[in-house]
Amino acid sequence: MAQLPTVDDVAERAGVSRQTVSNVLNSPGIVREGTRLRVESAIAELGYRPHASARRLRTRQSSTIGVRLDPISNGISGSVLDRYLHALTEQADARGMRIMLFTAVDEDDEIRHYERLRDGADVDAFVLTGTRYDDPRIEWLARERMPFVAFGRPWGSAPLDDPERLWVDVDGQAGLRMATEHLIGRGHRRIGYLGWPAGSGTGDDRRRGWELAMASAFGSTAEDLAGLATETDEGVPTARRAIETLVRTRDDLEALVCASDSLALGAMMAVREAGMPHFPVFGFDNTPVAQAVGLSSVDQRLADVASGTFELLMGATGRRVLPHGFPAGDDPRHRLITPQLVVRRSSHLEPVEEAGGTTSGDHEPTEKEQST
Amino acid sequence: MAQLPTVDDVAERAGVSRQTVSNVLNSPGIVREGTRLRVESAIAELGYRPHASARRLRTRQSSTIGVRLDPISNGISGSVLDRYLHALTEQADARGMRIMLFTAVDEDDEIRHYERLRDGADVDAFVLTGTRYDDPRIEWLARERMPFVAFGRPWGSAPLDDPERLWVDVDGQAGLRMATEHLIGRGHRRIGYLGWPAGSGTGDDRRRGWELAMASAFGSTAEDLAGLATETDEGVPTARRAIETLVRTRDDLEALVCASDSLALGAMMAVREAGMPHFPVFGFDNTPVAQAVGLSSVDQRLADVASGTFELLMGATGRRVLPHGFPAGDDPRHRLITPQLVVRRSSHLEPVEEAGGTTSGDHEPTEKEQST
DNA sequence: CCGGGAAGTTTGAACGATCAAATCTTCGGT
DNA sequence: ACCGAAGATTTGATCGTTCAAACTTCCCGG
């Protein structure tokens, strides 16, 4: 073949005009059935495919969503973003959209990329990750009226239901509450919490889930809780040292829930070294590592997060990005996804037979689940 | 502003024609200096940015590279591809290129996506990962003369230096040889190998590195080596069981090198349970998990792999993708990257003080290195 | 002072699609 | 049968850029 076929080639073959071919593709409803079939078979015979750039130029839409790939995959939890990215890509495929990546060294650089990608009409919208208090990126996007959705609540000064700030997030509070209640159901009372220093919205929210579960089951006071909680920066070695200290000072501790799998992994290592190989530990994120080492965890349901992202961007079934600030109908401006417990060996008191198979190869959190 | 400025707006402001503005942007050399400066300041004043879709339509280039995001991030080693993707995105930025993602359920589906993305002029080239023996994707791309580079040698029937099959890979053989020699240098002799079943090009290549190191240091025969090697499918639990067996039958084993971090992690768990907390173990991939738990490993230098990918696609400094089968000049059609040892606690006999800091927060393999 | 060629710049067309408006068909109601 | 409106299809213009060729300007040697 000399050249790729165009709408004109298809039109000629089907004995209709350009525009009719275009209509068959974009608004099949307004074309008479006979014509439509004729055009469709011409398309099939010629193997015609619309030229994406030409369409984008004319429609002024790129059907592309920009995502920044963070500079450093942050330790073992970094895989959360990677899995989210994967789920996003699948959703994008289903909606006729594409995901374009870019990198940036810091937030200002990221904003410069926003400008460049917007002005070049490269992307219709952005998806943000790793949001923080009063994130300047969100401010910029809202001010410029650029469509976007943040993965992670925009904790900060603006109200969470601000219609200009769309977000999707995982209900970490519910997740930790579920994990804690699971342990309570297995008969534990003195359940500790290992989290990050106060001040990160995400971390504070997760801790609150543990606190609520403890308070509602045992009426624990703030003092009780403070004695059972430890805070440390993210990382396996830091968690390990923190728990080594904790188990020395609190030898009545029966179990532990953690704000992340990294922390939980460090904690697991510490309790095993301390001669308590079956001390129950719960992580958060359900990373591949948790799966590999048999760590119970809380799965973020990233597929649901991704489909929520697209619902906010494009409406329930829309094929194009909605203008900034105008989600379809009365849709709420956010999605809060309830995560799912994944119970593995690490949260059982008794040793688990080594037969294996229960934790190998599986990827979906189906081993044993408990919702809400 | 009502509308984004176009070349015409810039041209009017600078008192020149469209095409001159275009020339300033694309071939500054042919424009007289005075004119160029005038146009450049008009561009700056108006904040003009070329419209990417219009340019792509006219030039018939998308300046975009397609990458398939694998359906399942394969366990803890999945992060290798994620980090490669990140390195690719950075390189792309530097070359004025973009990375577009797509997903596919299998190889045939992936090929259908190739067709769609090519015919829609969405991408100029593809980057393949996870290649296997006689990979049908490579055959299709070569037959269709679509530019591409594979990360991973196209092990199989075609010769490795086939000019139609460009590839970049990490020299796994050198990596395992380095790891083995490092252990030999520390005085070990009976060094075992834990790898995958024979038949995967990558696995066989890595094993060969261990064999060569052993043979050249101790003159080990094939029989000696067979007794020291174990094979199992990828995965932490499988590795753990395999090593539990191995240490029972070979109580003279002194150290272990593995084909992946997953295997190494399982091995570490097994030897620790067996009461040998300081048994030296080496992994491969330098995943975040290895870093987190202090596992010595072999780093793939993914930044070098990514820049090699772009050198093959676009030439040393080119700004556009080269046609299929015609790399610039006499460049070899491939890049074989030598990996780098990252030595951590897991390969030391003596316990390491718990002070930490040596393995926390770092990301680059700088803790202690040894090249070739 | 003119011819010729290189260097610099402009003009018209094209890339492949969709939008907006014009034209042609179909069909029901009187 | 005829009219009008709704339905279906076609035509002309346009999105913003670069290509190819035409045109201008400039410089130099004869």
Side-chain angles (χ1 to χ4, degrees):
Chain A
M1 85 193 84
Q3 186 101 3
L4 248 40
T6 73
V7 268
D8 286 301
D9 299 321
V10 176
E12 192 182 15
R13 175 129 188 169
V16 297
S17 71
R18 268 183 330 218
Q19 184 61 34
T20 300
V21 177
S22 174
N23 287 336
V24 169
L25 258 35
N26 301 307
S27 347
I30 70 169
V31 177
R32 204 194 318 236
E33 164 133 18
T35 320
R36 207 194 66 227
L37 294 172
R38 207 145 25 93
V39 171
E40 280 168 351
S41 60
I43 289 177
E45 286 164 31
L46 295 176
Y48 165 77
R49 278 178 228 270
H51 192 286
S53 293
R55 170 179 281 172
R56 290 204 262 261
L57 170 59
R58 183 61 234 209
T59 61
R60 313 184 125 283
Q61 300 191 104
S62 62
S63 299
T64 301
I65 289 169
V67 182
R68 172 188 176 186
L69 205 53
D70 282 341
I72 298 165
S73 56
N74 11 338
I76 82 174
S77 301
S79 76
V80 172
L81 290 182
D82 296 324
R83 286 182 295 156
Y84 175 55
L85 184 62
H86 185 268
L88 270 184
T89 305
E90 283 191 331
Q91 279 290 322
D93 254 32
R95 297 261 199 166
M97 303 290 289
R98 294 167 173 62
I99 300 288
M100 173 169 292
L101 298 179
F102 62 96
T103 57
V105 297
D106 57 30
E107 287 168 337
D108 289 336
D109 190 33
E110 186 166 355
I111 290 174
R112 275 192 294 279
H113 278 271
Y114 289 167
E115 266 188 292
R116 184 174 59 81
L117 291 169
R118 178 198 54 179
D119 293 347
D122 269 306
V123 303
D124 295 337
F126 290 104
V127 166
L128 274 70
T129 61
T131 52
R132 64 166 174 86
Y133 270 106
D134 293 327
D135 199 307
R137 301 172 299 164
I138 293 186
E139 300 312 315
W140 187 90
L141 290 165
R143 192 169 57 245
E144 298 281 326
R145 309 194 58 72
M146 181 81 196
F148 74 93
V149 171
F151 175 14
R153 272 159 278 189
W155 312 97
S157 46
L160 279 182
D161 58 351
D162 179 344
E164 307 249 309
R165 274 141 241 247
L166 278 53
W167 56 263
V168 185
D169 205 356
V170 171
D171 192 344
Q173 186 178 108
L176 259 121
R177 182 165 188 160
M178 283 156 55
T180 308
E181 284 169 351
H182 175 84
L183 290 170
I184 291 171
R186 294 186 67 88
H188 303 294
R189 277 188 68 95
R190 312 204 70 82
I191 302 168
Y193 172 78
L194 173 62
W196 306 309
S200 80
T202 308
D204 299 349
D205 185 53
R206 292 186 185 173
R207 173 171 178 150
R208 188 101 191 100
W210 164 71
E211 290 175 347
L212 287 174
M214 295 295 280
S216 96
F218 311 120
S220 311
T221 65
E223 282 161 283
D224 298 339
L225 294 171
L228 286 166
T230 308
E231 290 176 343
T232 179
D233 286 323
E234 174 75 351
V236 176
T238 53
R240 185 172 176 173
R241 286 191 293 275
I243 295 306
E244 277 166 0
T245 308
L246 185 65
V247 295
R248 268 197 292 272
T249 57
R250 298 277 314 213
D251 59 0
D252 60 340
L253 205 64
E254 294 172 22
L256 192 65
V257 293
C258 306
S260 77
D261 280 353
S262 296
L263 295 178
L265 186 59
M268 265 180 84
M269 292 167 75
V271 297
R272 287 192 180 182
E273 298 262 322
M276 303 181 286
H278 307 303
F279 185 97
V281 174
F282 245 99
F284 197 108
D285 285 343
N286 193 28
T287 55
V289 186
Q291 184 188 325
V293 304
L295 172 67
S296 293
S297 193
V298 180
D299 186 87
Q300 299 220 28
R301 289 176 169 285
L302 294 171
D304 293 341
V305 177
S307 61
T309 305
F310 274 91
E311 281 170 31
L312 291 177
L313 276 179
M314 311 179 70
T317 59
R319 304 284 298 179
R320 57 183 54 188
V321 171
L322 300 166
H324 173 85
F326 293 92
D330 294 325
D331 266 13
R333 268 58 172 174
H334 59 262
R335 292 280 186 285
L336 191 56
I337 309 294
T338 302
Q340 186 174 37
L341 283 196
V342 179
V343 178
R344 298 199 179 92
R345 290 199 307 273
S346 78
S347 60
H348 289 64
L349 269 174
E350 64 277 10
V352 171
E353 66 290 350
E354 201 52 56
T358 61
T359 62
S360 69
D362 56 342
H363 203 74
E364 289 300 315
T366 50
E367 295 154 24
K368 183 174 178 183
E369 53 182 78
Q370 170 179 334
S371 299
T372 308
Chain B
M1 85 193 87
Q3 186 104 1
L4 249 38
T6 73
V7 269
D8 285 302
D9 299 319
V10 176
E12 193 182 16
R13 175 127 186 171
V16 298
S17 72
R18 272 191 324 243
Q19 184 62 35
T20 300
V21 176
S22 174
N23 287 336
V24 168
L25 258 35
N26 300 309
S27 345
I30 70 169
V31 177
R32 203 191 319 235
E33 164 134 18
T35 320
R36 207 193 66 226
L37 294 173
R38 206 143 28 94
V39 171
E40 279 169 351
S41 59
I43 288 177
E45 286 163 30
L46 295 176
Y48 165 79
R49 276 177 229 272
H51 192 286
S53 293
R55 170 178 281 172
R56 290 204 261 262
L57 171 58
R58 184 60 235 207
T59 60
R60 313 182 128 285
Q61 298 189 42
S62 62
S63 299
T64 300
I65 289 169
V67 182
R68 173 189 176 185
L69 205 53
D70 282 343
I72 298 165
S73 56
N74 9 335
I76 81 174
S77 301
S79 77
V80 172
L81 290 182
D82 296 324
R83 286 182 295 155
Y84 175 54
L85 184 61
H86 185 268
L88 269 185
T89 305
E90 283 193 331
Q91 280 290 322
D93 254 31
R95 298 262 198 166
M97 303 289 291
R98 294 168 172 62
I99 300 289
M100 172 169 292
L101 298 179
F102 62 96
T103 56
V105 298
D106 58 29
E107 287 168 338
D108 288 336
D109 190 32
E110 185 167 354
I111 290 174
R112 276 193 293 279
H113 278 270
Y114 290 167
E115 267 187 292
R116 184 174 59 80
L117 292 170
R118 178 198 54 179
D119 293 348
D122 269 306
V123 304
D124 295 337
F126 290 104
V127 166
L128 274 71
T129 60
T131 51
R132 63 167 175 85
Y133 271 105
D134 293 328
D135 199 308
R137 302 172 300 164
I138 292 185
E139 301 311 315
W140 188 90
L141 289 165
R143 191 168 60 244
E144 299 280 325
R145 308 193 58 72
M146 180 80 194
F148 75 93
V149 170
F151 175 17
R153 272 159 279 189
W155 313 96
S157 46
L160 279 182
D161 58 352
D162 180 344
E164 306 249 312
R165 274 144 242 246
L166 278 51
W167 56 264
V168 185
D169 205 356
V170 171
D171 192 345
Q173 186 179 108
L176 259 119
R177 183 166 188 159
M178 283 155 55
T180 309
E181 285 170 350
H182 175 84
L183 291 171
I184 292 170
R186 295 186 66 88
H188 303 295
R189 276 187 69 94
R190 313 205 69 83
I191 302 167
Y193 172 79
L194 174 61
W196 307 309
S200 80
T202 306
D204 300 350
D205 185 53
R206 291 187 186 174
R207 173 173 179 148
R208 189 98 191 100
W210 164 73
E211 290 175 347
L212 287 174
M214 295 295 279
S216 95
F218 310 121
S220 309
T221 65
E223 283 161 283
D224 298 338
L225 293 171
L228 286 165
T230 309
E231 290 176 342
T232 179
D233 287 323
E234 174 74 353
V236 176
T238 54
R240 184 172 176 172
R241 287 192 293 277
I243 295 304
E244 276 166 0
T245 310
L246 185 65
V247 294
R248 268 198 293 273
T249 57
R250 296 278 315 214
D251 60 358
D252 59 340
L253 206 64
E254 294 171 21
L256 193 64
V257 293
C258 307
S260 78
D261 279 353
S262 295
L263 295 177
L265 185 59
M268 264 180 86
M269 291 168 76
V271 296
R272 288 193 178 181
E273 298 261 321
M276 303 181 287
H278 306 304
F279 186 97
V281 175
F282 244 99
F284 196 108
D285 286 342
N286 193 28
T287 55
V289 187
Q291 184 189 323
V293 304
L295 172 66
S296 293
S297 193
V298 180
D299 187 88
Q300 299 221 28
R301 291 176 169 283
L302 294 170
D304 293 341
V305 176
S307 61
T309 304
F310 273 91
E311 282 169 31
L312 291 177
L313 276 179
M314 312 179 70
T317 59
R319 304 285 297 180
R320 59 184 50 188
V321 171
L322 300 167
H324 173 85
F326 294 92
D330 294 326
D331 266 13
R333 267 60 171 175
H334 60 262
R335 292 279 186 286
L336 191 55
I337 309 295
T338 302
Q340 185 173 39
L341 284 195
V342 179
V343 178
R344 298 198 180 91
R345 290 200 306 274
S346 78
S347 60
H348 288 65
L349 270 173
E350 64 278 9
V352 171
E353 66 290 348
E354 201 53 53
T358 61
T359 63
S360 69
D362 55 342
H363 202 74
E364 290 299 315
T366 50
E367 295 156 23
K368 183 174 178 183
E369 54 181 75
Q370 170 179 338
S371 300
T372 306

